[in-house]
Amino acid sequence: MRVLLTGGAGYIGSHTALALLQAGREVVVLDNLCNSSAESLARVARIAGRAPVFVEGDVRDRDVLGSLFAEHLVDAVLHFAGLKSVGESLAQPLRYHDNNVQGSQVLLEAMAQASVFNFVFSSSATVYGEQAQMPVSEACSVGHAPNPYGRSKLMVEDMLRELPASDPRWRIAILRSFNPAGAHESGLIGEDPNGIPSNLLPYVAQVAIGKLPELAVFGGDYPTTDGTSVRDYIHVLDLAEGHLRALDALQTRTGTHVWNLGTGRGCSVLDMVRAFEAASGRTVPYRIAPRRFGDMATCYADPTKAERELGWRARRGLPDMTRDAWRWQQMNPNGYR
Ligand code: NAD
Ligand code: WQD
C-alpha cells in the first residue's frame, strides 16, 4: 500500500511517516515546509532504514497534486497539512481558512480526479469547544469551536460528512486528536516549534534545559484538583499508531467515521511539571499567572469508540512522554536547525 502524507515533515506527520515505513508501507510526503524542515524526513529515513518519497509543494496547488497522483499510484491519503496555532488564527483568520479549508478542498478534488477515495483527516479535540460533561465522546455536539482554527477544522469535517452521499466510494476517517506530546524514543525526531513555544510540554522542556527562565502556569483557580487546567496528553507515537489503525479500518468501511484519539486520562499543568522534573532530574521553576484567554478548565477524551472499533488504545503514559520529550530536547537543543 502506498500512502500520501500531506504535512508529513511536521511533528505528527513525521512520526506517522516512520510508523508507516516500519509497517512496510510505501510513503509519499507532500509538504511546503512552512512549519517544518526536510531534516525531519532525513531522520525518519535514518531510523527506518529507508526513505519516504518527498515532494516539496503546497496542498493548494492543483498542478502539484495532479502530477503527484499521476506519478505515484497512491491508495490512501493522510491529511496533516495545515496551520495549527489558535492565537495566530485569531489574528489571521483568512489565512487559516485559506490553508486549512481551501487546502483540504483542493486536495479532495484532486483525489476524486485520481480515483483515490481513502482519506484520513487529522482533526482536533478543539472542535468540541467548551463542554459541560467530561469525558468528551464523539457523540457530543460540536459546532461551537471557540476560534478560527477550530472552526476551520469543523468546516472540513462538514465537507467530509457530505462527500459519501455524492459518491459512495469515499471511505473517510476523521481523527480528533487530543494534546500530542513526546517524541520518538531515539531522540532523532520530535516537536520543533518556531520561536517561543505556546504548547505546554515544549515550553516546560525549554525551561528545564535553561533556555527559558520559568513557566507561567496559566490559572491557579480552576475547579480542578490542584487549581490548574487539565488536558489529555497523548504520546505522539500512540497517535501515529491510531492513524495506522484508522487506515486499516477503512478497508472494511465506507462512509465517514469519527474517532477520538486520546488517553481518557486528565493531567493538570502541575502534574506535568512534576512528571517532567522526575523524568529530567531538573527543577522546573514556575509561577501562577492569570488564566490564558480562551482556555477551558478541563478537557479529556472518551477513547472507548476507537478501542472498540479500531482495536487501538494509547499504550504510553506521562513518564514516557516526559522522558522522550526530554531526550529530544537534550539531543536537539535547537530543534532541527
Ligand atoms: P506541524 O505544523 O508540525 O505539521 C503540519 C505540517 O504541514 C508542517 O510540516 C507544514 O509545513 C505543513 N503544511 C502546512 N500548510 C501546508 C500546505 N498548505 N501545503 C503543504 N504543507 C503544509 O503540526 P502538527 O502538530 O504535526 O499537526 C499536524 C496536523 O494535526 C494539523 O492538521 C493539526 O491541525 C492537527 N492537530 C495538531 C495538534 C497539535 O497540538 N499539534 C492537535 C490536534 C490536531
Ligand atoms: C495545555 C495546558 C494551558 C502553556 C492547544 C490547541 C488545541 C490543540 C492542542 C491543535 C493549558 C497550560 C500552556 C504555558 C500553561 N492543537 N499552559 N503555560 O491549549 O490545551 O490546546 O494545543 O489542534 O487546538 O488549543 O494546549 O499545550 O497550549 O496548553 O499553563 O506556557 O497548559 O493553559 O491548560 P491546549 P497547550
Side-chain angles (χ1 to χ4, degrees):
M1 179 186 250
R2 182 173 288 117
V3 184
L4 168 63
L5 261 72
T6 72
Y11 175 41
I12 308 175
S14 56
H15 289 81
T16 308
L18 175 60
L20 283 164
L21 288 168
Q22 289 176 329
R25 314 280 170 87
E26 299 300 317
V27 177
V28 180
V29 167
L30 173 68
D31 201 303
N32 66 3
L33 303 179
C34 70
N35 196 38
S36 56
S37 151
E39 174 63 15
S40 66
L41 297 175
R43 306 262 185 107
V44 164
R46 216 164 113 191
I47 305 167
R50 64 196 180 98
V53 172
F54 176 49
V55 177
E56 184 172 346
D58 196 296
V59 83
R60 291 163 293 183
D61 187 330
R62 292 171 205 273
D63 293 339
V64 165
L65 288 172
S67 6
L68 189 155
F69 283 118
E71 196 176 329
H72 306 281
L73 290 179
V74 166
D75 302 293
V77 176
L78 299 192
H79 182 37
F80 293 102
L83 303 175
K84 62 163 180 178
S85 159
V86 167
E88 197 179 62
S89 80
L90 287 160
Q92 305 171 24
L94 297 179
R95 185 168 158 241
Y96 270 66
H97 288 300
D98 178 45
N99 203 332
N100 295 2
V101 184
Q102 171 78 352
S104 302
Q105 184 187 328
V106 171
L107 173 63
L108 290 161
E109 283 167 2
M111 285 179 64
Q113 229 153 39
S115 292
V116 179
F117 292 101
N118 295 325
F119 188 72
V120 178
F121 177 55
S122 192
S123 188
S124 166
T126 305
V127 299
Y128 289 116
E130 188 106 43
Q131 296 278 336
Q133 295 290 328
M134 285 296 145
V136 279
S137 82
E138 296 82 350
C140 289
S141 67
V142 293
H144 301 99
N147 51 65
Y149 166 67
R151 281 191 287 281
S152 75
K153 289 289 179 192
L154 269 178
M155 284 183 204
V156 177
E157 286 199 5
D158 284 343
M159 217 185 303
L160 296 175
R161 274 184 281 271
E162 288 161 5
L163 275 184
S166 71
D167 189 324
R169 288 174 293 177
W170 282 105
R171 295 162 182 258
I172 296 172
I174 293 172
L175 300 180
R176 293 179 179 154
S177 298
F178 282 68
N179 291 52
H184 188 259
E185 59 263 8
S186 63
L188 288 174
I189 55 172
E191 187 170 12
D192 183 17
N194 265 331
I196 295 179
S198 57
N199 289 118
L200 179 64
L201 194 48
Y203 199 105
V204 166
Q206 294 198 10
V207 172
I209 208 159
K211 282 179 84 174
L212 294 168
E214 64 174 6
L215 170 73
V217 175
F218 298 140
D221 57 353
Y222 282 109
T224 60
T225 47
D226 62 18
T228 67
S229 49
V230 167
R231 296 289 183 274
D232 187 338
Y233 299 93
I234 175 165
H235 199 295
V236 66
L237 293 176
D238 281 324
L239 266 189
E241 285 163 15
H243 282 75
L244 266 66
R245 290 299 176 84
L247 205 52
D248 293 342
L250 293 184
Q251 308 274 324
T252 53
R253 282 178 174 78
T254 54
T256 301
H257 306 269
V258 184
W259 288 290
N260 280 345
L261 296 182
T263 66
R265 288 184 296 277
C267 162
S268 76
V269 176
L270 293 183
D271 289 338
M272 181 60 91
V273 167
R274 278 189 289 269
F276 205 91
E277 288 182 334
S280 63
R282 301 280 178 101
T283 303
V284 177
Y286 70 85
R287 71 184 157 84
I288 303 293
R291 292 181 180 190
R292 184 172 64 180
F293 174 76
D295 272 355
M296 55 202 147
T298 301
C299 182
Y300 58 94
D302 174 351
T304 51
K305 185 168 185 263
E307 190 171 343
R308 206 172 50 244
E309 297 180 356
L310 303 180
W312 169 91
R313 66 187 298 187
R315 296 185 287 127
R316 299 161 180 89
L318 218 47
D320 307 293
M321 291 177 228
T322 48
R323 182 200 60 221
D324 294 339
W326 178 236
R327 188 184 296 111
W328 158 255
Q329 177 67 60
Q330 281 188 301
M331 286 173 63
N332 309 271
N334 298 312
Y336 290 115
R337 285 165 292 279

